CSV table of all heavy atoms in Angstrom, one decimal:
chain,number,residue,atom,x,y,z
A,84,LEU,N,27.7,-3.8,-57.4
A,84,LEU,CA,27.2,-4.7,-56.4
A,84,LEU,C,28.2,-4.8,-55.2
A,84,LEU,O,29.4,-4.9,-55.3
A,84,LEU,CB,27.1,-6.1,-57.0
A,84,LEU,CG,26.6,-7.2,-56.1
A,84,LEU,CD1,25.1,-7.0,-55.8
A,84,LEU,CD2,26.8,-8.6,-56.7
A,85,LYS,N,27.6,-4.7,-54.0
A,85,LYS,CA,28.4,-4.7,-52.8
A,85,LYS,C,28.3,-6.1,-52.1
A,85,LYS,O,27.3,-6.8,-52.3
A,85,LYS,CB,28.0,-3.6,-51.8
A,85,LYS,CG,28.1,-2.2,-52.4
A,85,LYS,CD,27.6,-1.2,-51.4
A,85,LYS,CE,27.7,0.2,-51.9
A,85,LYS,NZ,27.0,0.5,-53.1
A,86,ILE,N,29.2,-6.4,-51.3
A,86,ILE,CA,29.2,-7.6,-50.5
A,86,ILE,C,28.9,-7.2,-49.0
A,86,ILE,O,29.7,-6.4,-48.5
A,86,ILE,CB,30.4,-8.5,-50.6
A,86,ILE,CG1,30.6,-9.0,-52.0
A,86,ILE,CG2,30.4,-9.6,-49.6
A,86,ILE,CD1,31.9,-9.9,-52.2
A,87,GLU,N,27.9,-7.8,-48.4
A,87,GLU,CA,27.6,-7.6,-47.0
A,87,GLU,C,28.0,-8.8,-46.3
A,87,GLU,O,27.4,-9.9,-46.5
A,87,GLU,CB,26.2,-7.2,-46.8
A,87,GLU,CG,25.7,-5.9,-47.4
A,87,GLU,CD,24.2,-5.7,-47.3
A,87,GLU,OE1,23.5,-6.6,-46.9
A,87,GLU,OE2,23.8,-4.6,-47.5
A,88,TRP,N,29.0,-8.8,-45.4
A,88,TRP,CA,29.5,-10.0,-44.7
A,88,TRP,C,28.7,-10.1,-43.4
A,88,TRP,O,28.6,-9.2,-42.6
A,88,TRP,CB,31.0,-9.8,-44.3
A,88,TRP,CG,31.8,-9.8,-45.6
A,88,TRP,CD1,32.4,-8.7,-46.1
A,88,TRP,CD2,32.2,-10.9,-46.4
A,88,TRP,NE1,33.1,-9.1,-47.3
A,88,TRP,CE2,33.0,-10.4,-47.4
A,88,TRP,CE3,31.9,-12.3,-46.4
A,88,TRP,CZ2,33.5,-11.2,-48.4
A,88,TRP,CZ3,32.4,-13.1,-47.3
A,88,TRP,CH2,33.2,-12.6,-48.4
A,89,VAL,N,28.1,-11.3,-43.2
A,89,VAL,CA,27.3,-11.6,-42.0
A,89,VAL,C,27.8,-12.8,-41.2
A,89,VAL,O,27.9,-13.9,-41.8
A,89,VAL,CB,25.8,-11.9,-42.4
A,89,VAL,CG1,24.9,-12.1,-41.2
A,89,VAL,CG2,25.2,-10.8,-43.3
A,90,PRO,N,28.2,-12.6,-40.0
A,90,PRO,CA,28.8,-13.7,-39.2
A,90,PRO,C,27.6,-14.7,-38.9
A,90,PRO,O,26.5,-14.3,-38.5
A,90,PRO,CB,29.3,-13.1,-37.9
A,90,PRO,CG,28.5,-11.8,-37.8
A,90,PRO,CD,28.2,-11.3,-39.2
A,91,VAL,N,28.0,-16.0,-39.0
A,91,VAL,CA,27.0,-17.1,-38.7
A,91,VAL,C,27.7,-18.1,-37.9
A,91,VAL,O,28.9,-18.2,-37.8
A,91,VAL,CB,26.4,-17.7,-40.0
A,91,VAL,CG1,25.7,-16.7,-40.9
A,91,VAL,CG2,27.5,-18.4,-40.8
A,92,ASN,N,26.9,-19.0,-37.2
A,92,ASN,CA,27.5,-20.1,-36.4
A,92,ASN,C,26.6,-21.3,-36.7
A,92,ASN,O,25.7,-21.3,-37.4
A,92,ASN,CB,27.6,-19.7,-34.9
A,92,ASN,CG,26.2,-19.3,-34.4
A,92,ASN,OD1,25.2,-19.9,-34.6
A,92,ASN,ND2,26.2,-18.2,-33.6
A,93,LEU,N,27.0,-22.4,-36.0
A,93,LEU,CA,26.3,-23.7,-36.2
A,93,LEU,C,24.8,-23.6,-35.8
A,93,LEU,O,24.0,-24.3,-36.4
A,93,LEU,CB,27.0,-24.7,-35.3
A,93,LEU,CG,28.3,-25.2,-35.8
A,93,LEU,CD1,28.9,-26.1,-34.8
A,93,LEU,CD2,28.2,-25.9,-37.1
A,94,GLN,N,24.5,-22.7,-34.9
A,94,GLN,CA,23.1,-22.6,-34.4
A,94,GLN,C,22.2,-21.8,-35.3
A,94,GLN,O,21.0,-22.1,-35.5
A,94,GLN,CB,23.1,-22.1,-33.0
A,94,GLN,CG,23.6,-23.1,-31.9
A,94,GLN,CD,25.1,-23.2,-31.9
A,94,GLN,OE1,25.8,-22.3,-32.0
A,94,GLN,NE2,25.5,-24.5,-31.9
A,95,ASN,N,22.8,-20.7,-35.9
A,95,ASN,CA,21.9,-19.7,-36.6
A,95,ASN,C,22.0,-19.7,-38.1
A,95,ASN,O,21.3,-19.0,-38.7
A,95,ASN,CB,22.1,-18.3,-36.0
A,95,ASN,CG,23.4,-17.7,-36.3
A,95,ASN,OD1,24.2,-18.2,-37.2
A,95,ASN,ND2,23.8,-16.7,-35.6
A,96,ARG,N,23.0,-20.4,-38.6
A,96,ARG,CA,23.2,-20.3,-40.1
A,96,ARG,C,22.0,-20.7,-40.9
A,96,ARG,O,21.7,-20.0,-41.9
A,96,ARG,CB,24.5,-21.0,-40.5
A,96,ARG,CG,24.4,-22.5,-40.2
A,96,ARG,CD,25.7,-23.2,-40.6
A,96,ARG,NE,25.7,-24.6,-40.2
A,96,ARG,CZ,26.7,-25.5,-40.4
A,96,ARG,NH1,27.8,-25.0,-40.9
A,96,ARG,NH2,26.6,-26.7,-40.1
A,97,ILE,N,21.4,-21.8,-40.6
A,97,ILE,CA,20.2,-22.3,-41.4
A,97,ILE,C,19.1,-21.3,-41.2
A,97,ILE,O,18.4,-20.9,-42.2
A,97,ILE,CB,19.9,-23.7,-41.0
A,97,ILE,CG1,21.0,-24.7,-41.6
A,97,ILE,CG2,18.5,-24.1,-41.5
A,97,ILE,CD1,20.7,-26.1,-41.3
A,98,PRO,N,18.7,-20.9,-40.0
A,98,PRO,CA,17.6,-19.9,-39.8
A,98,PRO,C,17.9,-18.6,-40.6
A,98,PRO,O,16.9,-18.1,-41.2
A,98,PRO,CB,17.5,-19.7,-38.3
A,98,PRO,CG,18.0,-20.9,-37.7
A,98,PRO,CD,19.1,-21.4,-38.6
A,99,LEU,N,19.1,-18.1,-40.5
A,99,LEU,CA,19.4,-16.9,-41.2
A,99,LEU,C,19.3,-17.0,-42.7
A,99,LEU,O,18.9,-16.0,-43.4
A,99,LEU,CB,20.8,-16.4,-40.8
A,99,LEU,CG,21.0,-15.9,-39.4
A,99,LEU,CD1,22.4,-15.5,-39.1
A,99,LEU,CD2,20.0,-14.7,-39.1
A,100,VAL,N,19.6,-18.1,-43.3
A,100,VAL,CA,19.5,-18.4,-44.7
A,100,VAL,C,18.0,-18.6,-45.0
A,100,VAL,O,17.5,-18.0,-46.0
A,100,VAL,CB,20.3,-19.6,-45.2
A,100,VAL,CG1,19.9,-20.0,-46.6
A,100,VAL,CG2,21.8,-19.3,-45.1
A,101,ALA,N,17.3,-19.3,-44.2
A,101,ALA,CA,15.9,-19.6,-44.5
A,101,ALA,C,15.0,-18.4,-44.4
A,101,ALA,O,14.1,-18.3,-45.2
A,101,ALA,CB,15.4,-20.7,-43.4
A,102,ASN,N,15.4,-17.4,-43.5
A,102,ASN,CA,14.5,-16.2,-43.4
A,102,ASN,C,15.0,-15.1,-44.3
A,102,ASN,O,14.4,-14.0,-44.3
A,102,ASN,CB,14.4,-15.8,-42.0
A,102,ASN,CG,15.7,-15.2,-41.4
A,102,ASN,OD1,16.6,-14.8,-42.1
A,102,ASN,ND2,15.8,-15.2,-40.1
A,103,GLY,N,16.0,-15.3,-45.1
A,103,GLY,CA,16.5,-14.3,-46.0
A,103,GLY,C,17.5,-13.3,-45.5
A,103,GLY,O,17.8,-12.4,-46.3
A,104,THR,N,17.9,-13.4,-44.3
A,104,THR,CA,18.9,-12.5,-43.8
A,104,THR,C,20.2,-12.7,-44.5
A,104,THR,O,20.9,-11.7,-44.7
A,104,THR,CB,19.1,-12.7,-42.2
A,104,THR,OG1,17.8,-12.5,-41.6
A,104,THR,CG2,20.1,-11.7,-41.7
A,105,VAL,N,20.5,-13.9,-44.8
A,105,VAL,CA,21.8,-14.2,-45.5
A,105,VAL,C,21.4,-14.8,-46.9
A,105,VAL,O,20.6,-15.8,-46.9
A,105,VAL,CB,22.6,-15.3,-44.7
A,105,VAL,CG1,23.8,-15.8,-45.5
A,105,VAL,CG2,23.1,-14.6,-43.4
A,106,ASP,N,22.0,-14.3,-47.9
A,106,ASP,CA,21.7,-14.8,-49.3
A,106,ASP,C,22.4,-16.2,-49.5
A,106,ASP,O,21.8,-17.0,-50.2
A,106,ASP,CB,22.1,-13.8,-50.3
A,106,ASP,CG,21.3,-12.5,-50.2
A,106,ASP,OD1,20.1,-12.6,-50.0
A,106,ASP,OD2,21.9,-11.4,-50.4
A,107,ILE,N,23.6,-16.3,-49.0
A,107,ILE,CA,24.4,-17.5,-49.2
A,107,ILE,C,25.3,-17.7,-48.0
A,107,ILE,O,26.1,-16.7,-47.7
A,107,ILE,CB,25.1,-17.5,-50.6
A,107,ILE,CG1,25.9,-18.8,-50.7
A,107,ILE,CG2,26.0,-16.3,-50.7
A,107,ILE,CD1,26.5,-19.0,-52.1
A,108,SER,N,25.3,-18.8,-47.4
A,108,SER,CA,26.3,-19.1,-46.3
A,108,SER,C,27.4,-19.9,-46.8
A,108,SER,O,27.3,-21.0,-47.3
A,108,SER,CB,25.6,-19.8,-45.2
A,108,SER,OG,26.4,-19.9,-44.0
A,109,CYS,N,28.6,-19.3,-46.7
A,109,CYS,CA,29.8,-19.8,-47.4
A,109,CYS,C,30.8,-20.2,-46.3
A,109,CYS,O,31.7,-19.4,-45.9
A,109,CYS,CB,30.4,-18.7,-48.3
A,109,CYS,SG,29.3,-18.2,-49.6
A,110,GLU,N,30.7,-21.5,-45.9
A,110,GLU,CA,31.6,-21.9,-44.8
A,110,GLU,C,31.9,-23.4,-45.0
A,110,GLU,O,32.5,-23.8,-46.0
A,110,GLU,CB,31.1,-21.6,-43.4
A,110,GLU,CG,29.6,-21.1,-43.4
A,110,GLU,CD,28.7,-22.2,-42.9
A,110,GLU,OE1,29.2,-23.2,-42.2
A,110,GLU,OE2,27.5,-22.2,-43.1
A,111,SER,N,31.4,-24.2,-44.0
A,111,SER,CA,31.7,-25.7,-44.1
A,111,SER,C,30.5,-26.5,-43.7
A,111,SER,O,30.6,-27.3,-42.8
A,111,SER,CB,32.9,-26.0,-43.2
A,111,SER,OG,32.8,-25.5,-41.9
A,112,ALA,N,29.4,-26.3,-44.4
A,112,ALA,CA,28.2,-27.0,-44.0
A,112,ALA,C,28.0,-28.3,-44.7
A,112,ALA,O,28.1,-28.4,-46.0
A,112,ALA,CB,27.0,-26.1,-44.4
A,113,VAL,N,27.8,-29.4,-44.0
A,113,VAL,CA,27.6,-30.7,-44.5
A,113,VAL,C,26.2,-30.8,-45.1
A,113,VAL,O,25.2,-30.5,-44.4
A,113,VAL,CB,27.9,-31.8,-43.5
A,113,VAL,CG1,27.6,-33.2,-44.0
A,113,VAL,CG2,29.3,-31.7,-43.0
A,114,ASN,N,26.1,-31.3,-46.3
A,114,ASN,CA,24.8,-31.6,-46.9
A,114,ASN,C,24.1,-32.8,-46.3
A,114,ASN,O,24.7,-33.9,-46.4
A,114,ASN,CB,25.0,-31.7,-48.4
A,114,ASN,CG,23.7,-31.7,-49.2
A,114,ASN,OD1,22.6,-31.9,-48.6
A,114,ASN,ND2,23.7,-31.5,-50.5
A,115,THR,N,23.0,-32.6,-45.7
A,115,THR,CA,22.2,-33.7,-45.1
A,115,THR,C,20.7,-33.6,-45.6
A,115,THR,O,20.3,-32.5,-45.9
A,115,THR,CB,22.2,-33.7,-43.6
A,115,THR,OG1,21.5,-32.6,-43.1
A,115,THR,CG2,23.7,-33.6,-43.0
A,116,ILE,N,20.1,-34.8,-45.5
A,116,ILE,CA,18.6,-34.8,-45.9
A,116,ILE,C,17.8,-33.9,-45.0
A,116,ILE,O,16.9,-33.2,-45.4
A,116,ILE,CB,18.1,-36.2,-45.9
A,116,ILE,CG1,18.8,-37.1,-46.9
A,116,ILE,CG2,16.6,-36.2,-46.2
A,116,ILE,CD1,18.7,-36.6,-48.4
A,117,GLY,N,18.1,-34.0,-43.7
A,117,GLY,CA,17.4,-33.1,-42.7
A,117,GLY,C,17.5,-31.7,-43.0
A,117,GLY,O,16.6,-30.9,-42.9
A,118,ARG,N,18.8,-31.2,-43.3
A,118,ARG,CA,19.0,-29.8,-43.6
A,118,ARG,C,18.3,-29.4,-44.9
A,118,ARG,O,17.9,-28.2,-45.1
A,118,ARG,CB,20.5,-29.5,-43.6
A,118,ARG,CG,21.1,-29.6,-42.3
A,118,ARG,CD,22.6,-29.5,-42.3
A,118,ARG,NE,23.2,-29.5,-41.0
A,118,ARG,CZ,24.5,-29.5,-40.7
A,118,ARG,NH1,25.4,-29.6,-41.7
A,118,ARG,NH2,25.0,-29.5,-39.5
A,119,GLN,N,18.2,-30.3,-45.9
A,119,GLN,CA,17.6,-30.0,-47.2
A,119,GLN,C,16.1,-29.7,-47.0
A,119,GLN,O,15.5,-29.1,-47.9
A,119,GLN,CB,17.8,-31.2,-48.1
A,119,GLN,CG,19.2,-31.3,-48.7
A,119,GLN,CD,19.3,-32.5,-49.6
A,119,GLN,OE1,18.3,-33.0,-50.2
A,119,GLN,NE2,20.5,-33.0,-49.9
A,120,SER,N,15.5,-30.0,-45.9
A,120,SER,CA,14.1,-29.7,-45.7
A,120,SER,C,14.0,-28.2,-45.3
A,120,SER,O,12.9,-27.7,-45.3
A,120,SER,CB,13.5,-30.5,-44.5
A,120,SER,OG,14.1,-30.2,-43.3
Side-chain angles (χ1 to χ4, degrees):
L84 182 72
K85 300 177 180 63
I86 295 178
E87 297 175 347
W88 297 103
V89 183
V91 301
N92 56 45
L93 289 171
Q94 288 72 46
N95 67 16
R96 60 185 177 180
I97 288 180
L99 289 178
V100 170
N102 68 22
T104 302
V105 171
D106 295 321
I107 179 169
S108 191
C109 300
E110 16 100 21
S111 52
V113 175
N114 189 342
T115 70
I116 297 299
R118 290 173 177 173
Q119 287 180 19
S120 67

